[in-house]
Amino acid sequence: MFRIRSIWTGALCLFAWAGLLGCEGFGRSSDAASPFLWRDQPGSQIDLLHQGRPLLRYLYAFDDSTPERREATYKPYHHVLDPAGRRTITKGPGGLYTHHRGLMIGWMRLTWAGKEYDFWTMGRGDAQIHRAFLEQTALPDRATAASRIDWVTADGMMLIEETRSVTVHAPDERAYFTADFVIDLKAVNGPVDLNGDPEHAGFQFRPTQDVAEQTQDGRGRAHYTFHREDIDPQVHQNLPWAVATYDFEGRTYHVQHMTHPDDPRPWVYSAYRDYGRFGSYFKRTIPNGETLRLRYRIRVVEGEAPTRDQWQGAYEAYVTEE
């Protein structure tokens, strides 16, 4: 088992102490009138608040001091909170498939130098490790945070340098949560093959464990909506979006996962599991030294479901924005 600490982040903090850089404020800008606020628990998590209520939570700790701590922290991910900011509507460690966590990205069969690595379940000792925040901004209508994440094998070789940026928009009249993810994956030590299958790779959303327990009890199951009535996600490719609908604590949530048309093709949506894990997947080789950019939008509506035309309109608004 390897042991890697956030030395890079620590170096930034030393520079901050010397007055040369900001540490937790590195790259940060804010507007005094902004209803958004980033609130950090250093080394653990950062919450985005809107008008005092948490909307988004980024879990970024890495600790391999014990097997239990390693399992809890081997990948950074984002939680979405309910409209009141009290509970996460996404899943953390444990439960059905412990490696399923909130909004996550990875590939179960990543190949480098003729060997295969697991950056999905992390079952072979590989890990995604948060190194530093690169940006934190809070403006009147949106807030952005970007982080550097290293994809490191069990023997300590870094294969991918990831920059993961999330921009959360102010709630609108229908969606209380809208977030854009821009993910840059750079192959830093030779070409990397991103491989896997629709259920064990890509950028995916996992609802709270309560949905899996409801399914096992024969109660509420997640169901899915697509841009056409005749869509079979196990047959059709390059779907612009998919919506998962599920119940949690007496409320109904509709989560729209959008894939930007500039993303690598063909992509496939895994959107059929009754416990609600769904998302977009593709295969691609990243040549040495090159960066692959991925773009997604997640939009969450609570309560009455929008129509298919309204979902499509939200997607068209996303892909036509500057």
Side-chain angles (χ1 to χ4, degrees):
M1 186 63 63
F2 64 90
R3 184 181 301 273
I4 301 174
R5 300 300 182 194
S6 297
I7 297 172
W8 202 82
T9 305
L12 285 178
C13 292
L14 289 174
F15 278 112
W17 180 83
L20 300 176
L21 283 176
C23 183
E24 284 306 327
F26 179 59
R28 177 189 297 169
S29 65
S30 62
D31 188 311
S34 175
F36 288 104
L37 174 68
W38 291 104
R39 184 174 64 192
D40 196 9
Q41 297 180 26
S44 176
Q45 67 185 50
I46 186 168
D47 286 0
L48 177 63
L49 283 66
H50 182 263
Q51 296 181 339
R53 292 191 300 252
L55 269 181
L56 179 77
R57 177 168 298 153
Y58 174 54
L59 285 297
Y60 65 88
F62 176 73
D63 179 1
D64 65 348
S65 60
T66 66
E68 293 76 17
R69 283 298 295 156
R70 182 189 176 280
E71 180 183 315
T73 62
Y74 52 44
K75 66 168 75 173
Y77 63 98
H78 289 81
H79 271 314
V80 180
L81 285 92
D82 65 21
R86 293 192 302 265
R87 293 284 304 274
T88 60
I89 67 167
T90 45
K91 177 186 169 299
L96 182 67
Y97 309 123
T98 183
H99 54 275
H100 287 179
R101 309 209 176 152
L103 284 154
M104 56 184 176
I105 188 167
W107 275 261
M108 176 178 270
R109 293 191 295 277
L110 183 151
T111 303
W112 173 80
K115 296 182 179 179
E116 193 172 272
Y117 300 89
D118 180 358
F119 286 95
W120 183 254
T121 73
M122 313 297 179
R124 302 175 186 175
D126 309 316
Q128 297 171 339
I129 305 172
H130 169 95
R131 295 301 194 192
F133 287 107
L134 306 177
E135 177 186 3
Q136 291 175 28
T137 64
L139 302 176
D141 61 342
R142 64 191 183 278
T144 298
S147 56
R148 174 185 160 183
I149 300 165
D150 292 345
W151 295 31
V152 183
T153 68
D155 56 4
M157 176 62 71
M158 187 171 79
L159 304 186
I160 291 177
E161 179 182 296
E162 176 191 349
T163 300
R164 189 180 307 181
S165 175
V166 57
T167 297
V168 179
H169 301 269
D172 60 36
E173 66 277 4
R174 286 309 313 270
Y176 81 90
F177 179 88
T178 301
D180 295 335
F181 286 81
V182 178
I183 299 169
D184 289 334
L185 304 177
K186 181 178 181 180
V188 293
N189 280 303
V192 172
D193 292 326
L194 305 178
N195 204 343
D197 60 72
E199 297 185 3
H200 303 94
F203 180 70
Q204 304 221 6
F205 178 99
R206 172 66 196 268
T208 173
Q209 171 65 17
D210 294 60
V211 179
E213 294 173 0
Q214 289 169 182
T215 299
Q216 293 167 357
D217 291 344
R219 295 182 286 135
R221 298 184 175 187
H223 59 274
Y224 300 91
T225 303
F226 305 100
H227 69 292
R228 293 200 319 262
E229 185 69 35
D230 62 344
I231 290 296
D232 180 349
Q234 295 179 283
V235 174
H236 297 97
Q237 298 180 338
N238 301 322
L239 305 182
W241 52 267
V243 173
T245 296
Y246 61 93
D247 295 327
F248 175 50
E249 293 190 333
R251 296 177 179 270
T252 300
Y253 294 92
H254 314 274
V255 181
Q256 184 178 21
H257 184 301
M258 311 182 202
T259 299
H260 196 277
D262 291 343
D263 280 12
R265 294 172 181 251
W267 70 75
V268 177
Y269 264 101
S270 171
Y272 35 80
R273 292 304 186 199
D274 56 9
Y275 59 84
R277 191 271 306 133
F278 79 120
S280 177
Y281 146 83
F282 61 89
K283 298 179 182 181
R284 183 58 56 94
T285 297
I286 308 176
N288 184 42
E290 295 191 13
T291 298
L292 178 66
R293 169 159 288 191
L294 310 174
R295 296 171 63 186
Y296 305 94
R297 173 171 283 184
I298 301 297
R299 190 166 179 263
V300 185
V301 174
E302 185 267 325
E304 182 181 354
T307 65
R308 181 175 279 109
D309 286 346
Q310 288 172 327
W311 289 126
Q312 180 64 21
Y315 177 77
E316 292 172 359
Y318 169 48
V319 300
T320 57
E321 287 178 0
E322 293 295 332

